[in-house]
Amino acid sequence: MKQPMDHETMAMRAARELQDGNVVNLGIGIPGLASNFIPEGRSVIFHSENGVLGFGPLLDESDGDVDLINAGGQFVSAMPGMSFFSPADAFAMIRSGHIDVTIMGGLQVSERGDLANWMMPNRGIGNVGGSMDLAAGAGKIIVTMEHVTKDGQMKIVRKCSYPVTGLACVSLVITDLAVIEVTPKGLVLREVAPGYTAQDIQAVTEPKLIVAKDLKEVSL
Amino acid sequence: MPINKVLPSFAAAVADIPNGATVMIGGFAGPGGMPSNLILALRNQGARDLTVISNTAGLPGFAAHTGQTIINQSVLFENKQVKKLIATYPVPRSMSQISAFMKAWQAGEVELEVVPQGTYAERLRAGGAGIAAFYTPTAVGTQLAKGKEVRTFDGRDYLLERALKADYALIHAHKADKMGNLVYKGTSRSFNVHMATAAKVTIVEVDEIVETGELDPEHIVTPGIYVNRIVARPKERR
């Protein structure tokens, strides 16, 4: 039976990419959930654009402190070793390669790893936030998104039709249906959601996929 | 005479802001670090045709406790005081939420310049540092690069970005001494710390004013020479 991954499962799969000691920036939504699923035995340092490093798990609105938030406006917890600094410093860290991994949402990802995630063309106005700086400077960029739009449009495309956030910047795409790596040779299908075949994924993916020799079902 | 930059009211602190002024508004997006009382005083004062430099245009509910009402930049758009906004995150995340800025923008009443957040931070920093412009790799190849000089260094393309400066900065800090030395609290430092340096007149709303000498010099984040006016929040509105 075909079973697409839910948001928590996607976040869990994304969290597996985080290595011990990584400095990590998480976007809003599914990426933020990844902070709940850091693999046992690994410790990562969370970074946020508003000027904080080393914070802990998300807090409920009722428990939160308005002076301790992440850039997505979520309340986070204090941790030993946490530090505060200015946004210019936070972005200096990003552009200079001090952030090892970022996990972001996506509207479209192209065959060569271009990312579009800051503006829906039909709205005519967009929130760029820190997305373009992360696209330009973060070490490894992982995108979590649904494989197709609500009305079935492909989101993994030959060329982005939406305004781009960064060019040739994405390393890995984790969708509800598959895990796809961006390589110099093209998009490599590494993993599929339970019950899906490579043909199923190709049918909802515009560029030609290279199927990994060891293609497997997503394991967590 | 010992230096004392404390003013008695928010209204007095913003009284001279003229029509057409460029005004930076600090904070990030939520109530933490937002100079809400200064924003309200500027709304009541009524200066028009303002250019506002601010991370957002006011996001309802962002990083607020359930049911908490936040006074933010929205009141300036509702009162039609702004002709141009320079921001990184101008509209609510959800397309179903319509903000005061969004309405004004859709009606063609306000011009918008969207800036990547790291470029925005660095433009503010440069504005307070005597740097006219700088090259950054952010936004190369995107529509936000339109009209900007591209220069290649060591094989990589960079965009030329200009400093941001203002006539006034309205910011929030946790504590000030009477000389204007400031300390912040947690993530509420945010853009306040840059704006303090980048405006001709910096006006600070603080939770508490202490005597000069009470703040540990090792902990002061913004030295008092950047600050012109200080007003304390009433205790019940901290």
Side-chain angles (χ1 to χ4, degrees):
Chain A
M1 200 184 74
K2 285 178 180 170
Q3 195 182 357
M5 288 188 274
D6 61 16
H7 288 178
E8 292 222 321
T9 310
M10 290 164 69
M12 227 178 275
R13 177 61 191 84
R16 274 185 44 209
E17 297 296 316
L18 306 177
Q19 304 303 316
D20 193 34
N22 278 172
V23 182
V24 176
N25 183 296
L26 300 178
I28 305 168
I30 302 171
L33 289 176
S35 66
N36 298 343
F37 302 115
I38 306 304
E40 190 86 11
R42 297 184 202 174
S43 53
V44 303
I45 297 174
F46 290 114
H47 166 278
S48 193
E49 297 95 307
N50 51 333
V52 55
L53 266 172
F55 52 89
L58 301 179
L59 295 175
D60 288 340
E61 281 186 12
S62 52
D63 298 333
D65 174 353
V66 296
D67 297 317
L68 186 48
I69 64 166
N70 65 20
Q74 294 163 305
F75 295 112
V76 296
S77 48
M79 289 277 279
M82 181 171 69
S83 57
F84 301 118
F85 38 87
S86 73
D89 288 334
F91 284 98
M93 291 170 195
I94 292 171
R95 289 186 307 263
S96 63
H98 286 83
I99 307 305
D100 299 306
V101 184
T102 185
I103 308 177
M104 289 197 264
L107 296 171
Q108 290 180 330
V109 174
S110 83
E111 192 166 19
R112 60 169 204 159
D114 296 349
L115 171 65
N117 73 350
W118 75 279
M119 181 155 139
M120 298 283 285
N122 61 352
R123 198 181 193 192
I125 190 166
N127 290 319
V128 64
S131 61
M132 286 190 185
D133 302 279
L134 284 161
K140 178 173 183 173
I141 297 174
I142 299 170
V143 171
T144 55
M145 64 181 191
E146 310 295 337
H147 206 96
V148 298
T149 65
K150 285 199 182 85
D151 53 4
Q153 299 287 316
M154 294 187 201
K155 296 178 72 170
I156 302 175
V157 292
R158 286 199 189 92
K159 194 171 183 310
C160 294
S161 58
Y162 289 5
V164 294
T165 306
L167 302 177
C169 58
V170 177
S171 299
L172 193 70
V173 185
I174 298 171
T175 74
D176 52 336
L177 306 184
V179 178
I180 293 171
E181 187 185 354
V182 182
T183 76
K185 289 182 181 164
L187 299 177
V188 176
L189 178 63
R190 296 255 171 234
E191 298 170 32
V192 290
Y196 284 84
T197 65
Q199 289 74 20
D200 294 333
I201 306 303
Q202 182 64 72
V204 288
T205 308
E206 191 183 31
K208 177 83 183 134
L209 292 169
I210 302 163
V211 180
K213 287 200 182 77
D214 58 347
L215 176 71
K216 57 190 179 194
E217 204 167 87
V218 173
S219 65
L220 299 165
Chain B
M1 274 282 282
I3 298 171
N4 185 351
K5 297 175 180 172
V6 178
L7 291 188
S9 70
F10 295 105
V14 304
D16 65 349
I17 298 180
N19 292 344
T22 298
V23 181
M24 290 174 174
I25 299 178
F28 194 77
M34 179 77 63
S36 301
N37 291 284
L38 288 170
I39 294 169
L40 197 57
L42 180 58
R43 196 280 304 269
N44 296 341
Q45 188 259 34
R48 305 181 76 83
D49 297 324
L50 302 173
T51 295
V52 168
I53 301 173
S54 177
N55 187 43
T56 79
L59 299 178
F62 189 98
H65 293 294
T66 314
Q68 185 181 12
T69 309
I70 317 164
I71 292 164
N72 59 33
Q73 301 90 330
S74 286
V75 297
L76 301 176
F77 295 98
E78 279 160 14
N79 203 31
K80 302 189 187 299
Q81 289 173 263
V82 185
K83 71 165 185 209
K84 182 178 179 183
L85 172 72
I86 300 175
T88 86
Y89 206 98
V91 285
R93 183 157 181 253
S94 156
M95 286 177 70
S96 59
Q97 274 186 309
I98 303 293
S99 63
F101 164 76
M102 186 81 183
K103 276 188 210 156
W105 181 80
Q106 282 172 335
E109 293 165 4
V110 56
E111 188 191 337
L112 172 66
E113 179 181 343
V114 175
V115 184
Q117 204 165 62
T119 300
Y120 173 80
E122 195 64 15
R123 289 177 70 188
L124 293 170
R125 201 197 67 79
I131 301 292
F134 56 89
Y135 288 97
T136 177
T138 299
V140 168
T142 74
Q143 74 177 47
L144 299 187
K146 267 182 203 148
K148 289 176 182 161
E149 182 194 321
V150 179
R151 191 161 159 191
T152 309
F153 296 92
D154 302 326
R156 188 171 186 194
D157 288 346
Y158 293 76
L159 296 183
L160 182 68
E161 293 281 1
R162 299 284 304 271
L164 283 170
K165 291 195 249 189
D167 301 310
Y168 293 85
L170 309 185
I171 68 167
H172 172 263
H174 179 47
K175 286 184 188 178
D177 67 19
K178 290 181 176 172
M179 288 180 73
N181 293 305
L182 305 178
V183 295
Y184 302 90
K185 201 171 170 193
T187 49
S188 294
R189 181 179 308 192
S190 62
F191 294 107
N192 293 305
V193 70
H194 301 307
M195 290 177 176
T197 69
K200 287 180 200 146
V201 177
T202 293
I203 309 172
V204 191
E205 168 173 346
V206 294
D207 298 325
E208 189 182 350
I209 297 171
V210 300
E211 291 302 324
T212 297
E214 284 186 35
L215 296 176
D216 183 343
E218 300 279 4
H219 295 168
I220 289 168
V221 178
T222 297
I225 63 162
Y226 291 116
V227 171
N228 301 89
R229 302 171 191 171
I230 309 161
V231 188
R233 285 181 178 175
K235 275 209 173 74
E236 67 277 14
R237 280 159 74 188
R238 274 179 199 168

